[in-house]
Amino acid sequence: MNMTLALLLLSTALQLVAVIAAIRLIRLRRMRSAWLLLTATVLLMLLRRMLSQTEGVYPPLQAAMRGIPSEAVALLISILLCLALWRIRSTVGEWKQSESKLQFQRDLLERIARRSPLTETLETLVLAAEARAPGMIASILIVDEDGVHVRHGAAPHLPEAYIRAIDGAAIGSAVGSCGTAAYHRRRV
């Protein structure tokens, strides 16, 4: 297989990937991104066709392209298109992440409005925090009515022995992160 054919096949494959990505964006209702991607792909196809027919059609383009195979230019443009695809993909990822956060907020507010048990609502909050930071174990402690002790609120992945050990602990200036935060009434 010669270099020209390899470049042609590679740029065609990249165009196909761009069209598939545009279809996926349409399914995600990201019409503007899909439109831009499809427009760029069509322009690339037109440019490839124009580059392959430069003989006598557009002399300035022919002069500028002297010595450069049209497939190489098409490949360069395809690579730029892939970079644009990567940017669109990361934008879609950010969009999905923010939609996931909004859905979580809606679910949490719905639990509160339905007057779900506090332990169930707090556990949902802890599980969501753990899901956003894989490997992290979260817990919520509640300051007791006396204002000087913390009580277990939610900790679905902490060992029972640890939960029993900290339940009822006094708050203080240097009593763990929760005890210190409760004592100073601010984040630590």
Side-chain angles (χ1 to χ4, degrees), residues 101-178:
K101 287 178 186 176
L102 284 173
Q103 183 61 45
F104 165 71
Q105 288 174 352
R106 277 188 232 116
D107 291 346
L108 194 61
L109 288 172
E110 188 177 308
R111 283 182 182 279
I112 293 168
R114 282 194 327 243
R115 298 182 187 266
S116 295
L118 180 61
T119 54
E120 186 181 301
T121 304
L122 293 178
E123 188 167 308
T124 301
L125 188 59
V126 168
L127 290 172
E130 290 177 347
R132 283 190 172 70
M136 178 183 74
I137 297 176
S139 68
I140 295 177
L141 295 176
I142 302 169
V143 176
D144 202 354
E145 292 172 4
D146 64 9
V148 292
H149 294 90
V150 288
R151 295 287 173 201
H152 169 70
H157 295 111
L158 281 177
E160 277 298 317
Y162 183 80
I163 292 171
R164 283 193 305 275
I166 61 173
D167 189 37
I171 64 172
S173 181
V175 184
S177 57
C178 291

Side-chain angles (χ1 to χ4, degrees), residues 48-83:
R48 259 182 56 198
R49 183 177 171 102
M50 190 170 73
L51 289 173
S52 66
Q53 299 174 350
T54 56
E55 187 79 32
V57 175
Y58 190 60
L61 181 61
Q62 186 178 0
M65 297 298 301
R66 189 170 300 132
I68 302 173
S70 60
E71 289 78 13
V73 174
L75 180 62
L76 177 63
I77 294 171
S78 295
I79 290 170
L80 292 174
L81 184 62
C82 282
L83 291 174

